[in-house]
Amino acid sequence: MFGALPGMAWQAWSQNQTENPSVECLSQLKGDAKIQILADKIPFDITKSQSLEVLANKAKPTAKEKAALSFFVTEGERCTDLGADWREKNFPAEINALLTAYRVDMVAAFADLYAGKTSYGDLAKLRAKGAAELKISVDAVVRELQAKRTAEQQNQQEAEARKNQADTQARERREMNEQQQRFAQQQAEQQQQEARRQAALQMLMNQRPSQPYQLPMPTPIPRSQTTNCTTLGNQMNCTTR
């Protein structure tokens, strides 16, 4: 109980144990002279194996030992309470629930020892059994939560991949739409230019005279003439051709 909680339970979800108020308090309690009378009968740290002598001890507490037991349980509860907020912040609810159940069982076991209903050996066995069961339960919760986290991370990665794919497809569609718009705009501009050209050509055609233009007749070129003259006696005859 208290400082004897399995190390796994305290370290499963946080490595910053120095920030846990319970740790320092329990460390001081371990060295308190008021509980040293119980050191050989109730090992403070049960994460280590308990000896057969401790497990087989059929002795019940004396009056002085009951006073030490009362102090140990009272101070242990106080130290545990100091870390309640820290555990709530740093441990999953499932582990905190296991620790609470373990704590209740151990207080009840110490109460039976204090009342003389059980022996030191009985308490040692209950603590060993409870610590083992707590570790198994904590390990199971850790595995379950780790699997859940892994699944959540995988789902998140898949969601991000789908989002990236959707973003890529949306970007490609936007680019395609922009290309189509640019092409349509170019087509429209070309059509407008062709329409303006046709309009200008039609305007020129409309400005021509209604009667067709006739070329002037060419001036006849005078044909060259040759005059030949002959003399016959006293007469001269000339012929022009």
Side-chain angles (χ1 to χ4, degrees), residues 3-218:
L5 289 175
M8 170 60 182
W10 293 103
Q11 299 173 3
W13 287 91
S14 177
Q15 298 302 318
N16 299 323
Q17 292 301 312
T18 55
E19 300 178 3
N20 183 356
S22 293
V23 172
E24 177 63 24
C25 182
L26 290 170
S27 178
Q28 293 177 0
L29 176 60
K30 180 180 180 180
D32 196 299
K34 296 185 182 67
I35 66 170
Q36 297 309 308
I37 191 175
L38 303 174
D40 294 337
K41 301 178 178 67
I42 305 177
F44 196 86
D45 185 0
I46 60 171
T47 59
K48 302 175 183 179
S49 299
Q50 298 182 87
S51 66
L52 287 177
E53 288 77 9
V54 172
L55 294 171
N57 188 355
K58 295 184 179 299
K60 295 183 179 181
T62 63
K64 289 184 178 181
E65 291 172 347
K66 285 184 177 182
L69 281 172
S70 178
F71 177 80
F72 179 53
V73 171
T74 301
E75 287 301 299
E77 285 285 275
R78 183 182 66 83
C79 289
T80 303
D81 287 339
L82 288 176
D85 292 340
W86 185 93
R87 290 192 301 275
E88 183 177 358
K89 179 180 178 181
N90 291 274
F91 286 175
E94 295 88 342
I95 289 182
N96 281 324
L98 291 172
L99 292 175
T100 298
Y102 174 82
R103 175 182 175 182
V104 170
D105 290 342
M106 290 303 102
V107 170
F110 271 84
D112 287 342
L113 175 65
Y114 183 87
K117 294 180 179 180
T118 57
S119 66
Y120 282 109
D122 294 331
L123 175 65
K125 295 171 186 176
L126 287 172
R127 294 177 76 205
K129 183 175 182 294
E133 291 175 348
L134 175 61
K135 184 178 185 305
I136 292 173
S137 298
V138 168
D139 288 346
V141 170
V142 170
R143 285 193 300 270
E144 181 179 353
L145 294 178
Q146 287 177 341
K148 182 179 179 180
R149 287 183 178 180
T150 300
E152 290 176 349
Q153 290 174 352
Q154 183 176 355
N155 291 337
Q156 182 177 1
Q157 292 174 352
E158 292 175 352
E160 290 177 354
R162 289 193 296 270
K163 182 179 182 300
N164 292 336
Q165 183 179 5
D167 291 343
T168 299
Q169 292 175 347
R171 184 176 63 253
E172 291 175 349
R173 286 194 297 269
R174 287 195 303 270
E175 292 175 352
M176 182 178 297
N177 291 335
E178 290 173 357
Q179 291 177 354
Q180 292 175 347
Q181 291 174 358
R182 287 194 297 268
F183 178 75
Q185 183 177 359
Q186 292 173 356
Q187 291 291 97
E189 292 175 353
Q190 291 175 359
Q191 291 175 359
Q192 291 174 358
Q193 292 176 357
E194 179 63 19
R196 288 194 293 269
R197 189 184 71 81
Q198 292 292 339
L201 182 60
Q202 185 66 36
M203 183 179 297
L204 290 174
M205 293 178 64
N206 292 338
Q207 291 175 353
R208 292 180 180 180
S210 58
Q211 296 295 329
Y213 178 76
Q214 294 181 351
L215 293 174
M217 295 298 293

